[in-house]
Amino acid sequence: MTVTQVTDERTRKAFLDTARKIYENDANFICPLDDDIEAVFDTQKNPFFGFGKAVRWILTDSNNNLIGRVAAFINEKKAYNYEQPTGGMGFFECIDDEKAAFLLFNTAKAWLQQQGMKAMDGPINFGENDMFWGLLIDGFVPQSYGMNYNPPYYKKFFDTYGFKTQYEQITNHIDAHKPFPERFTKIANWVAQKPGYRFEHLRSSEIESFASDFMEVYNDAWKEFENFVPIKRDTILETFRKMKMIMDENLIWFAYVDDEPAAFVVVLPDANQMIKGFNGKLTLINKLRFLYNKWKGVNRMRAIVMGTKTKYQKHGLESAMFVKLKEYVLPLKQYDEMELSWVGDFNDKMLALHEAMGGVFGKKHATMRCIF
């Protein structure tokens, strides 16, 4: 077996093709767009290169067949926040062969050790944790956009190599045709009528203002979590720019208390249903197919992120925003399911909110760590 670092057009193509090879007979796999993967490793497109570095490799057998790939990266803002300096590995794909898998793990480990790291988290993204994050360990069904999919046998590789689960990421689902539980709706309606409370959906014409509100809420809501790093406005604007192609303004809601940004929920139609069958490629024909699929509509939406400022976290703002959302969605008779983006098993408040909304278990990913 031969490990080759990705350095040119040929090896970049091979890195992308590896996933297509591994999953060519797996009907549940929806290939991520090549452009999305490449953007992670583009120093001009990924702002994380401003405070980090990344490298990737492909693995071939003696007949030059692609049999695996992996990437390693260091986020300087987070690497030294742990008991030991910790880097990341991700975009791991491999045939069902332990020697091949361990060779890829060792390659990532060796590079990280050269950079002074003493542990690696994986499989994670060199970017925000809403994309390409975690090892799928339960719920082996077609994933929504940005969610990692992998064969069940990957878990065995990670466990045997010495990775330990840091936390599990729970994704719950809601039947879009059912009203919310009575108690949830009662609280939401009461909150929505309180003096000084205001709820607005996103307006693209004012996206810069909403980006600032998002940043203010997000950085306050998550500041107490371990190793939190504040998000920048440029990162949010870039994310909103990417979402613009598929977003429905009426699915993204903000809450204000006396005109102060207090909470938000971002829900998107599931783009994976729009790109299924593209095999990761946005050719001219596939762009036209995408526009048609978007016009035709999809039946799944995904709440990709939500947040509430600390001082408003028990005010019921989330309930009111979701009821506003439901008031728009129900008459459409388009969506069958809303996927509630993954919540760490440590986030009791959000898990309780999912339960109060009537959420049922959908899938589970794990973020793991290997200490060298």
Side-chain angles (χ1 to χ4, degrees), residues 140-177:
F140 294 90
V141 297
Q143 302 294 295
S144 56
Y145 181 75
M147 296 287 282
N148 273 348
Y149 176 82
N150 53 260
Y153 64 79
Y154 280 16
K155 180 68 161 55
K156 173 186 62 181
F157 293 155
F158 279 79
D159 288 341
T160 307
Y161 189 77
F163 281 89
K164 304 294 182 185
T165 298
Q166 292 295 105
Y167 56 86
E168 293 182 339
Q169 304 151 222
I170 313 300
T171 299
N172 291 311
H173 294 171
I174 290 177
D175 186 332
H177 301 293

Side-chain angles (χ1 to χ4, degrees), residues 82 84 86 119-122 162-164 166 367-371:
Y82 307 99
Q84 61 284 312
T86 301
M120 63 181 173
D121 286 353
F163 281 89
K164 304 294 182 185
Q166 292 295 105
T367 297
M368 310 183 78
R369 176 171 296 166
C370 177
I371 298 176

Side-chain angles (χ1 to χ4, degrees), residues 57-170:
W57 302 268
I58 55 172
L59 181 65
T60 52
D61 64 15
S62 56
N63 295 316
N64 206 34
N65 296 311
L66 292 167
I67 58 172
R69 75 180 193 191
V70 74
F73 21 80
I74 297 173
N75 178 343
E76 299 285 353
K77 288 187 176 181
K78 289 191 175 182
Y80 302 98
N81 292 350
Y82 307 99
E83 186 175 340
Q84 61 284 312
T86 301
M89 62 81 65
F91 300 91
F92 170 83
E93 303 290 0
C94 190
I95 60 172
D96 192 358
D97 183 296
E98 186 178 281
K99 288 183 179 179
F102 281 18
L103 179 53
L104 289 166
F105 291 156
N106 285 336
T107 300
K109 174 183 174 181
W111 181 82
L112 288 168
Q113 285 179 313
Q114 289 170 7
Q115 313 300 315
M117 298 295 103
K118 296 184 179 180
M120 63 181 173
D121 286 353
I124 64 172
N125 182 25
F126 186 49
E128 299 298 338
N129 61 13
D130 61 329
M131 294 277 284
F132 310 128
W133 199 285
L135 182 74
L136 182 64
I137 57 176
D138 193 358
F140 294 90
V141 297
Q143 302 294 295
S144 56
Y145 181 75
M147 296 287 282
N148 273 348
Y149 176 82
N150 53 260
Y153 64 79
Y154 280 16
K155 180 68 161 55
K156 173 186 62 181
F157 293 155
F158 279 79
D159 288 341
T160 307
Y161 189 77
F163 281 89
K164 304 294 182 185
T165 298
Q166 292 295 105
Y167 56 86
E168 293 182 339
Q169 304 151 222
I170 313 300

Side-chain angles (χ1 to χ4, degrees), residues 8-78:
D8 55 23
E9 186 61 33
R10 180 189 67 82
T11 48
R12 279 195 295 272
K13 182 178 182 299
F15 186 86
L16 298 168
D17 287 342
T18 301
R20 286 186 268 270
K21 181 70 175 174
I22 298 292
Y23 297 102
E24 60 184 346
N25 296 315
D26 190 334
N28 286 326
F29 179 66
I30 300 173
C31 188
L33 293 175
D34 290 352
D35 289 351
D36 287 345
I37 302 293
E38 283 302 292
V40 174
F41 300 97
D42 188 327
T43 57
Q44 302 301 310
K45 294 181 179 179
N46 187 349
F48 277 66
F49 278 103
F51 42 85
K53 59 184 74 173
V55 63
R56 49 183 168 156
W57 302 268
I58 55 172
L59 181 65
T60 52
D61 64 15
S62 56
N63 295 316
N64 206 34
N65 296 311
L66 292 167
I67 58 172
R69 75 180 193 191
V70 74
F73 21 80
I74 297 173
N75 178 343
E76 299 285 353
K77 288 187 176 181
K78 289 191 175 182

